[in-house]
Amino acid sequence: MIRPDALLPAPLQRAHAAFVTLAEALQPLAQLVARLFVAQVFFLAGLTKLRDWETTLLLFTEEYRVPLLSPAVAAVLGTAGEVLLPVLLVLGLGGRVAALGLSVVNVVAVLSVPEMPEPAFMLHVFWGSLLAGLVLWGPGRWSVDGGGRASARAQD
């Protein structure tokens, strides 16, 4: 199979190679920023729920329609996920599992609010996209899971 960049003139091949090298060098930073950003969103939401538990229970009873769970169980599980999983995600400890767990919380949130405004829905899509990347490619080298080691590709 012919590599697409092999069809380029030599100076463009070198520029492409330099770009790829730079992009790969920035991957750990991008993964860290994604982990910190998404973790902050969910952690702050969890803290808000903890600060006013009565309102949280009322929301899960009246507004959020979590399928298959009682409102009290859904409130406890949702809040626990929003508080504990972001900590694991920031550390990159069980990073893929933490990202997958937050993906579940994210999907349940979308499904539980039947009349979610479009801008709020788009935020959930954005967070879901970042979480999907972390599930698929991991939390990166700058994580407990990554242990500072070089990427698998560099070790080959």
Side-chain angles (χ1 to χ4, degrees), residues 7-60:
L7 302 174
L8 297 173
L12 289 178
Q13 284 183 20
R14 286 190 296 276
H16 178 263
F19 173 75
V20 169
T21 300
L22 176 63
E24 288 177 355
L26 291 173
Q27 270 184 344
L29 176 62
Q31 288 163 306
L32 176 63
V33 169
R35 288 185 358 240
L36 293 174
F37 178 76
V38 174
Q40 178 188 15
V41 169
F42 284 93
F43 188 74
L44 292 177
L47 289 182
T48 299
K49 288 177 180 68
L50 285 175
R51 274 190 215 108
D52 191 352
W53 190 248
E54 292 304 316
T55 301
T56 298
L57 287 175
L58 182 66
L59 283 170
F60 275 88

Tab-separated table of all heavy atoms in Angstrom, residues 7-60:
chain	number	residue	atom	x	y	z
A	7	LEU	N	3.507	10.417	-1.989
A	7	LEU	CA	3.222	11.053	-3.268
A	7	LEU	C	3.617	12.527	-3.280
A	7	LEU	O	3.611	13.162	-4.327
A	7	LEU	CB	1.729	10.914	-3.600
A	7	LEU	CG	1.202	9.477	-3.677
A	7	LEU	CD1	-0.308	9.474	-3.862
A	7	LEU	CD2	1.892	8.714	-4.793
A	8	LEU	N	3.973	13.048	-2.109
A	8	LEU	CA	4.332	14.465	-1.994
A	8	LEU	C	5.790	14.684	-2.395
A	8	LEU	O	6.627	13.788	-2.245
A	8	LEU	CB	4.141	14.936	-0.552
A	8	LEU	CG	2.728	14.885	0.014
A	8	LEU	CD1	2.751	15.215	1.495
A	8	LEU	CD2	1.831	15.851	-0.729
A	9	PRO	N	6.116	15.889	-2.833
A	9	PRO	CA	7.532	16.224	-3.076
A	9	PRO	C	8.311	16.146	-1.757
A	9	PRO	O	7.749	16.309	-0.669
A	9	PRO	CB	7.491	17.659	-3.598
A	9	PRO	CG	6.069	17.934	-3.957
A	9	PRO	CD	5.221	16.985	-3.196
A	10	ALA	N	9.605	15.914	-1.849
A	10	ALA	CA	10.453	15.711	-0.674
A	10	ALA	C	10.313	16.810	0.383
A	10	ALA	O	10.201	16.492	1.581
A	10	ALA	CB	11.907	15.553	-1.102
A	11	PRO	N	10.307	18.109	0.011
A	11	PRO	CA	10.165	19.129	1.065
A	11	PRO	C	8.829	19.009	1.825
A	11	PRO	O	8.777	19.209	3.041
A	11	PRO	CB	10.233	20.458	0.305
A	11	PRO	CG	10.935	20.139	-0.972
A	11	PRO	CD	10.574	18.721	-1.285
A	12	LEU	N	7.771	18.658	1.102
A	12	LEU	CA	6.474	18.492	1.765
A	12	LEU	C	6.448	17.223	2.611
A	12	LEU	O	5.797	17.186	3.652
A	12	LEU	CB	5.336	18.494	0.748
A	12	LEU	CG	5.046	19.847	0.094
A	12	LEU	CD1	3.928	19.719	-0.928
A	12	LEU	CD2	4.687	20.886	1.146
A	13	GLN	N	7.164	16.196	2.193
A	13	GLN	CA	7.264	14.977	2.998
A	13	GLN	C	7.947	15.281	4.327
A	13	GLN	O	7.512	14.821	5.382
A	13	GLN	CB	8.042	13.887	2.254
A	13	GLN	CG	7.265	13.212	1.160
A	13	GLN	CD	8.069	12.097	0.500
A	13	GLN	OE1	9.030	11.577	1.060
A	13	GLN	NE2	7.675	11.737	-0.711
A	14	ARG	N	9.012	16.084	4.264
A	14	ARG	CA	9.729	16.462	5.492
A	14	ARG	C	8.831	17.306	6.393
A	14	ARG	O	8.805	17.125	7.605
A	14	ARG	CB	11.030	17.195	5.151
A	14	ARG	CG	12.105	16.266	4.621
A	14	ARG	CD	13.458	16.964	4.533
A	14	ARG	NE	13.484	18.084	3.583
A	14	ARG	CZ	13.681	17.948	2.272
A	14	ARG	NH1	13.871	16.752	1.743
A	14	ARG	NH2	13.692	19.003	1.494
A	15	ALA	N	8.097	18.235	5.786
A	15	ALA	CA	7.184	19.080	6.566
A	15	ALA	C	6.088	18.221	7.202
A	15	ALA	O	5.742	18.415	8.378
A	15	ALA	CB	6.574	20.163	5.679
A	16	HIS	N	5.578	17.267	6.445
A	16	HIS	CA	4.549	16.366	6.976
A	16	HIS	C	5.110	15.552	8.140
A	16	HIS	O	4.470	15.398	9.184
A	16	HIS	CB	4.019	15.449	5.872
A	16	HIS	CG	3.005	14.480	6.368
A	16	HIS	ND1	3.315	13.195	6.708
A	16	HIS	CD2	1.663	14.624	6.598
A	16	HIS	CE1	2.237	12.577	7.129
A	16	HIS	NE2	1.217	13.418	7.073
A	17	ALA	N	6.314	15.022	7.972
A	17	ALA	CA	6.949	14.230	9.025
A	17	ALA	C	7.171	15.081	10.281
A	17	ALA	O	6.945	14.608	11.403
A	17	ALA	CB	8.267	13.642	8.532
A	18	ALA	N	7.586	16.326	10.096
A	18	ALA	CA	7.788	17.223	11.240
A	18	ALA	C	6.465	17.505	11.943
A	18	ALA	O	6.395	17.525	13.174
A	18	ALA	CB	8.435	18.533	10.784
A	19	PHE	N	5.409	17.702	11.166
A	19	PHE	CA	4.085	17.944	11.736
A	19	PHE	C	3.618	16.741	12.555
A	19	PHE	O	3.116	16.884	13.666
A	19	PHE	CB	3.069	18.273	10.637
A	19	PHE	CG	1.666	18.355	11.149
A	19	PHE	CD1	1.243	19.453	11.880
A	19	PHE	CD2	0.766	17.315	10.926
A	19	PHE	CE1	-0.054	19.520	12.382
A	19	PHE	CE2	-0.522	17.375	11.410
A	19	PHE	CZ	-0.939	18.477	12.145
A	20	VAL	N	3.793	15.540	12.001
A	20	VAL	CA	3.386	14.321	12.701
A	20	VAL	C	4.180	14.172	14.001
A	20	VAL	O	3.627	13.841	15.048
A	20	VAL	CB	3.538	13.082	11.793
A	20	VAL	CG1	3.389	11.793	12.578
A	20	VAL	CG2	2.531	13.138	10.655
A	21	THR	N	5.469	14.444	13.947
A	21	THR	CA	6.312	14.356	15.142
A	21	THR	C	5.831	15.334	16.214
A	21	THR	O	5.725	14.986	17.392
A	21	THR	CB	7.788	14.636	14.786
A	21	THR	OG1	8.211	13.654	13.835
A	21	THR	CG2	8.679	14.589	16.010
A	22	LEU	N	5.519	16.559	15.808
A	22	LEU	CA	5.014	17.561	16.744
A	22	LEU	C	3.673	17.139	17.327
A	22	LEU	O	3.453	17.222	18.543
A	22	LEU	CB	4.885	18.929	16.061
A	22	LEU	CG	4.278	20.044	16.913
A	22	LEU	CD1	5.162	20.338	18.128
A	22	LEU	CD2	4.057	21.288	16.073
A	23	ALA	N	2.778	16.672	16.477
A	23	ALA	CA	1.451	16.247	16.941
A	23	ALA	C	1.575	15.112	17.947
A	23	ALA	O	0.889	15.096	18.976
A	23	ALA	CB	0.584	15.836	15.757
A	24	GLU	N	2.443	14.151	17.682
A	24	GLU	CA	2.631	13.036	18.604
A	24	GLU	C	3.271	13.498	19.909
A	24	GLU	O	2.949	12.982	20.981
A	24	GLU	CB	3.436	11.926	17.942
A	24	GLU	CG	2.614	11.193	16.889
A	24	GLU	CD	3.395	10.116	16.149
A	24	GLU	OE1	4.616	9.973	16.372
A	24	GLU	OE2	2.760	9.409	15.345
A	25	ALA	N	4.161	14.480	19.842
A	25	ALA	CA	4.780	15.013	21.061
A	25	ALA	C	3.756	15.744	21.936
A	25	ALA	O	3.892	15.777	23.154
A	25	ALA	CB	5.935	15.947	20.696
A	26	LEU	N	2.736	16.318	21.297
A	26	LEU	CA	1.702	17.053	22.045
A	26	LEU	C	0.590	16.162	22.588
A	26	LEU	O	-0.254	16.631	23.363
A	26	LEU	CB	1.101	18.150	21.153
A	26	LEU	CG	2.039	19.303	20.819
A	26	LEU	CD1	1.388	20.234	19.802
A	26	LEU	CD2	2.442	20.057	22.074
A	27	GLN	N	0.565	14.889	22.203
A	27	GLN	CA	-0.501	13.995	22.648
A	27	GLN	C	-0.646	13.931	24.163
A	27	GLN	O	-1.767	14.044	24.672
A	27	GLN	CB	-0.306	12.584	22.100
A	27	GLN	CG	-0.973	12.356	20.783
A	27	GLN	CD	-0.838	10.922	20.321
A	27	GLN	OE1	-0.015	10.168	20.816
A	27	GLN	NE2	-1.649	10.558	19.359
A	28	PRO	N	0.436	13.743	24.936
A	28	PRO	CA	0.250	13.667	26.391
A	28	PRO	C	-0.376	14.939	26.970
A	28	PRO	O	-1.214	14.874	27.868
A	28	PRO	CB	1.664	13.459	26.933
A	28	PRO	CG	2.442	12.905	25.788
A	28	PRO	CD	1.830	13.494	24.555
A	29	LEU	N	0.014	16.091	26.438
A	29	LEU	CA	-0.568	17.350	26.901
A	29	LEU	C	-2.058	17.405	26.571
A	29	LEU	O	-2.883	17.775	27.407
A	29	LEU	CB	0.159	18.543	26.285
A	29	LEU	CG	-0.411	19.924	26.625
A	29	LEU	CD1	-0.347	20.188	28.123
A	29	LEU	CD2	0.318	21.001	25.848
A	30	ALA	N	-2.415	17.027	25.361
A	30	ALA	CA	-3.828	17.043	24.952
A	30	ALA	C	-4.647	16.081	25.803
A	30	ALA	O	-5.772	16.406	26.216
A	30	ALA	CB	-3.945	16.682	23.476
A	31	GLN	N	-4.103	14.907	26.093
A	31	GLN	CA	-4.824	13.944	26.926
A	31	GLN	C	-4.991	14.485	28.348
A	31	GLN	O	-6.055	14.326	28.951
A	31	GLN	CB	-4.097	12.598	26.926
A	31	GLN	CG	-4.231	11.876	25.587
A	31	GLN	CD	-3.215	10.771	25.416
A	31	GLN	OE1	-2.013	10.991	25.547
A	31	GLN	NE2	-3.703	9.577	25.092
A	32	LEU	N	-3.954	15.130	28.869
A	32	LEU	CA	-4.057	15.714	30.210
A	32	LEU	C	-5.098	16.822	30.246
A	32	LEU	O	-5.932	16.876	31.151
A	32	LEU	CB	-2.696	16.253	30.662
A	32	LEU	CG	-2.683	16.977	32.016
A	32	LEU	CD1	-3.080	16.028	33.143
A	32	LEU	CD2	-1.316	17.592	32.272
A	33	VAL	N	-5.077	17.698	29.259
A	33	VAL	CA	-6.055	18.797	29.213
A	33	VAL	C	-7.473	18.235	29.112
A	33	VAL	O	-8.383	18.699	29.798
A	33	VAL	CB	-5.738	19.770	28.048
A	33	VAL	CG1	-6.876	20.741	27.813
A	33	VAL	CG2	-4.438	20.524	28.324
A	34	ALA	N	-7.670	17.226	28.287
A	34	ALA	CA	-9.001	16.605	28.165
A	34	ALA	C	-9.434	16.014	29.506
A	34	ALA	O	-10.585	16.195	29.930
A	34	ALA	CB	-8.988	15.528	27.080
A	35	ARG	N	-8.516	15.314	30.177
A	35	ARG	CA	-8.849	14.720	31.485
A	35	ARG	C	-9.220	15.803	32.490
A	35	ARG	O	-10.225	15.679	33.201
A	35	ARG	CB	-7.655	13.912	32.014
A	35	ARG	CG	-7.435	12.634	31.255
A	35	ARG	CD	-6.337	11.725	31.799
A	35	ARG	NE	-5.582	12.157	32.922
A	35	ARG	CZ	-4.253	12.341	32.921
A	35	ARG	NH1	-3.546	12.149	31.831
A	35	ARG	NH2	-3.625	12.709	34.012
A	36	LEU	N	-8.435	16.866	32.558
A	36	LEU	CA	-8.700	17.935	33.534
A	36	LEU	C	-10.010	18.653	33.236
A	36	LEU	O	-10.793	18.940	34.149
A	36	LEU	CB	-7.540	18.933	33.541
A	36	LEU	CG	-6.207	18.416	34.071
A	36	LEU	CD1	-5.119	19.463	33.871
A	36	LEU	CD2	-6.308	18.005	35.525
A	37	PHE	N	-10.267	18.934	31.969
A	37	PHE	CA	-11.471	19.670	31.583
A	37	PHE	C	-12.732	18.872	31.921
A	37	PHE	O	-13.640	19.363	32.586
A	37	PHE	CB	-11.426	20.015	30.099
A	37	PHE	CG	-12.656	20.727	29.620
A	37	PHE	CD1	-12.861	22.060	29.908
A	37	PHE	CD2	-13.623	20.050	28.901
A	37	PHE	CE1	-14.008	22.720	29.489
A	37	PHE	CE2	-14.773	20.698	28.467
A	37	PHE	CZ	-14.965	22.031	28.767
A	38	VAL	N	-12.783	17.631	31.454
A	38	VAL	CA	-13.977	16.814	31.681
A	38	VAL	C	-14.140	16.510	33.169
A	38	VAL	O	-15.260	16.551	33.692
A	38	VAL	CB	-13.913	15.512	30.853
A	38	VAL	CG1	-15.060	14.588	31.188
A	38	VAL	CG2	-13.932	15.833	29.373
A	39	ALA	N	-13.056	16.223	33.850
A	39	ALA	CA	-13.141	15.921	35.278
A	39	ALA	C	-13.718	17.103	36.053
A	39	ALA	O	-14.555	16.931	36.943
A	39	ALA	CB	-11.760	15.549	35.816
A	40	GLN	N	-13.286	18.307	35.710
A	40	GLN	CA	-13.789	19.491	36.404
A	40	GLN	C	-15.298	19.629	36.221
A	40	GLN	O	-16.023	19.896	37.182
A	40	GLN	CB	-13.089	20.752	35.907
A	40	GLN	CG	-13.627	22.003	36.568
A	40	GLN	CD	-13.095	23.282	35.954
A	40	GLN	OE1	-12.542	23.294	34.872
A	40	GLN	NE2	-13.268	24.378	36.661
A	41	VAL	N	-15.781	19.433	35.008
A	41	VAL	CA	-17.214	19.571	34.720
A	41	VAL	C	-18.022	18.628	35.594
A	41	VAL	O	-18.980	19.031	36.273
A	41	VAL	CB	-17.492	19.302	33.223
A	41	VAL	CG1	-18.981	19.162	32.959
A	41	VAL	CG2	-16.895	20.403	32.357
A	42	PHE	N	-17.640	17.358	35.605
A	42	PHE	CA	-18.416	16.369	36.350
A	42	PHE	C	-18.222	16.510	37.857
A	42	PHE	O	-19.179	16.358	38.629
A	42	PHE	CB	-18.067	14.955	35.879
A	42	PHE	CG	-18.698	14.625	34.556
A	42	PHE	CD1	-18.012	14.842	33.376
A	42	PHE	CD2	-19.981	14.116	34.489
A	42	PHE	CE1	-18.592	14.554	32.151
A	42	PHE	CE2	-20.575	13.820	33.277
A	42	PHE	CZ	-19.880	14.047	32.100
A	43	PHE	N	-16.996	16.798	38.299
A	43	PHE	CA	-16.734	16.936	39.732
A	43	PHE	C	-17.537	18.100	40.320
A	43	PHE	O	-18.157	17.960	41.385
A	43	PHE	CB	-15.236	17.141	39.970
A	43	PHE	CG	-14.847	17.109	41.420
A	43	PHE	CD1	-14.819	15.919	42.126
A	43	PHE	CD2	-14.504	18.281	42.082
A	43	PHE	CE1	-14.459	15.891	43.467
A	43	PHE	CE2	-14.142	18.257	43.416
A	43	PHE	CZ	-14.120	17.066	44.115
A	44	LEU	N	-17.547	19.237	39.636
A	44	LEU	CA	-18.313	20.384	40.134
A	44	LEU	C	-19.814	20.084	40.165
A	44	LEU	O	-20.521	20.510	41.087
A	44	LEU	CB	-18.017	21.625	39.306
A	44	LEU	CG	-16.599	22.189	39.449
A	44	LEU	CD1	-16.392	23.379	38.509
A	44	LEU	CD2	-16.292	22.569	40.887
A	45	ALA	N	-20.295	19.346	39.174
A	45	ALA	CA	-21.712	18.948	39.175
A	45	ALA	C	-22.010	18.057	40.378
A	45	ALA	O	-23.050	18.198	41.033
A	45	ALA	CB	-22.063	18.228	37.878
A	46	GLY	N	-21.088	17.139	40.678
A	46	GLY	CA	-21.265	16.268	41.846
A	46	GLY	C	-21.251	17.047	43.152
A	46	GLY	O	-22.057	16.782	44.050
A	47	LEU	N	-20.340	18.015	43.255
A	47	LEU	CA	-20.285	18.830	44.475
A	47	LEU	C	-21.568	19.637	44.657
A	47	LEU	O	-22.059	19.798	45.784
A	47	LEU	CB	-19.080	19.773	44.442
A	47	LEU	CG	-17.709	19.138	44.600
A	47	LEU	CD1	-16.621	20.212	44.589
A	47	LEU	CD2	-17.613	18.301	45.869
A	48	THR	N	-22.109	20.140	43.561
A	48	THR	CA	-23.374	20.881	43.625
A	48	THR	C	-24.476	19.984	44.172
A	48	THR	O	-25.272	20.413	45.012
A	48	THR	CB	-23.754	21.422	42.230
A	48	THR	OG1	-22.726	22.315	41.808
A	48	THR	CG2	-25.093	22.131	42.256
A	49	LYS	N	-24.513	18.748	43.710
A	49	LYS	CA	-25.521	17.812	44.200
A	49	LYS	C	-25.325	17.522	45.689
A	49	LYS	O	-26.292	17.427	46.445
A	49	LYS	CB	-25.487	16.520	43.387
A	49	LYS	CG	-26.027	16.679	41.987
A	49	LYS	CD	-25.899	15.371	41.213
A	49	LYS	CE	-26.433	15.498	39.811
A	49	LYS	NZ	-25.634	16.378	38.947
A	50	LEU	N	-24.082	17.363	46.115
A	50	LEU	CA	-23.806	17.079	47.529
A	50	LEU	C	-24.166	18.256	48.433
A	50	LEU	O	-24.632	18.049	49.563
A	50	LEU	CB	-22.325	16.736	47.719
A	50	LEU	CG	-21.885	15.357	47.258
A	50	LEU	CD1	-20.375	15.214	47.401
A	50	LEU	CD2	-22.605	14.262	48.021
A	51	ARG	N	-23.935	19.478	47.971
A	51	ARG	CA	-24.203	20.671	48.780
A	51	ARG	C	-25.675	20.808	49.146
A	51	ARG	O	-25.997	21.345	50.199
A	51	ARG	CB	-23.754	21.929	48.032
A	51	ARG	CG	-22.312	22.241	48.246
A	51	ARG	CD	-21.959	23.624	47.705
A	51	ARG	NE	-20.614	23.542	47.189
A	51	ARG	CZ	-20.267	23.551	45.914
A	51	ARG	NH1	-21.173	23.694	44.988
A	51	ARG	NH2	-19.021	23.441	45.552
A	52	ASP	N	-26.547	20.364	48.264
A	52	ASP	CA	-27.979	20.501	48.528
A	52	ASP	C	-28.666	19.187	48.175
A	52	ASP	O	-29.303	19.049	47.135
A	52	ASP	CB	-28.559	21.661	47.710
A	52	ASP	CG	-29.973	22.021	48.134
A	52	ASP	OD1	-30.569	21.280	48.946
A	52	ASP	OD2	-30.483	23.034	47.639
A	53	TRP	N	-28.517	18.220	49.075
A	53	TRP	CA	-28.997	16.870	48.811
A	53	TRP	C	-30.514	16.813	48.649
A	53	TRP	O	-31.025	16.044	47.843
A	53	TRP	CB	-28.518	15.908	49.891
A	53	TRP	CG	-28.796	14.490	49.524
A	53	TRP	CD1	-29.685	13.646	50.117
A	53	TRP	CD2	-28.192	13.752	48.457
A	53	TRP	NE1	-29.675	12.426	49.482
A	53	TRP	CE2	-28.759	12.468	48.457
A	53	TRP	CE3	-27.236	14.059	47.491
A	53	TRP	CZ2	-28.403	11.487	47.536
A	53	TRP	CZ3	-26.878	13.078	46.580
A	53	TRP	CH2	-27.465	11.808	46.605
A	54	GLU	N	-31.222	17.626	49.392
A	54	GLU	CA	-32.690	17.629	49.278
A	54	GLU	C	-33.121	18.050	47.866
A	54	GLU	O	-34.007	17.442	47.273
A	54	GLU	CB	-33.317	18.552	50.324
A	54	GLU	CG	-33.161	18.052	51.754
A	54	GLU	CD	-33.727	16.647	51.955
A	54	GLU	OE1	-34.837	16.363	51.456
A	54	GLU	OE2	-33.043	15.836	52.598
A	55	THR	N	-32.481	19.075	47.341
A	55	THR	CA	-32.793	19.504	45.976
A	55	THR	C	-32.387	18.434	44.973
A	55	THR	O	-33.099	18.186	43.991
A	55	THR	CB	-32.097	20.841	45.652
A	55	THR	OG1	-32.544	21.822	46.578
A	55	THR	CG2	-32.377	21.295	44.230
A	56	THR	N	-31.277	17.784	45.220
A	56	THR	CA	-30.833	16.704	44.344
A	56	THR	C	-31.877	15.598	44.297
A	56	THR	O	-32.247	15.128	43.208
A	56	THR	CB	-29.478	16.142	44.822
A	56	THR	OG1	-28.501	17.183	44.746
A	56	THR	CG2	-29.025	14.962	43.983
A	57	LEU	N	-32.354	15.189	45.451
A	57	LEU	CA	-33.379	14.144	45.489
A	57	LEU	C	-34.654	14.606	44.783
A	57	LEU	O	-35.289	13.826	44.063
A	57	LEU	CB	-33.685	13.742	46.925
A	57	LEU	CG	-32.609	12.916	47.619
A	57	LEU	CD1	-32.982	12.683	49.085
A	57	LEU	CD2	-32.393	11.593	46.904
A	58	LEU	N	-35.006	15.858	44.979
A	58	LEU	CA	-36.198	16.400	44.317
A	58	LEU	C	-36.012	16.387	42.787
A	58	LEU	O	-36.927	16.002	42.053
A	58	LEU	CB	-36.482	17.821	44.810
A	58	LEU	CG	-37.727	18.488	44.225
A	58	LEU	CD1	-38.984	17.751	44.684
A	58	LEU	CD2	-37.789	19.943	44.647
A	59	LEU	N	-34.840	16.786	42.311
A	59	LEU	CA	-34.569	16.772	40.870
A	59	LEU	C	-34.658	15.351	40.298
A	59	LEU	O	-35.230	15.139	39.230
A	59	LEU	CB	-33.191	17.367	40.569
A	59	LEU	CG	-33.090	18.883	40.613
A	59	LEU	CD1	-31.634	19.317	40.539
A	59	LEU	CD2	-33.883	19.505	39.491
A	60	PHE	N	-34.073	14.389	41.017
A	60	PHE	CA	-34.119	13.016	40.529
A	60	PHE	C	-35.534	12.436	40.617
A	60	PHE	O	-35.875	11.526	39.874
A	60	PHE	CB	-33.123	12.128	41.286
A	60	PHE	CG	-31.738	12.173	40.712
A	60	PHE	CD1	-30.829	13.139	41.125
A	60	PHE	CD2	-31.335	11.271	39.736
A	60	PHE	CE1	-29.553	13.198	40.592
A	60	PHE	CE2	-30.065	11.324	39.193
A	60	PHE	CZ	-29.166	12.289	39.616
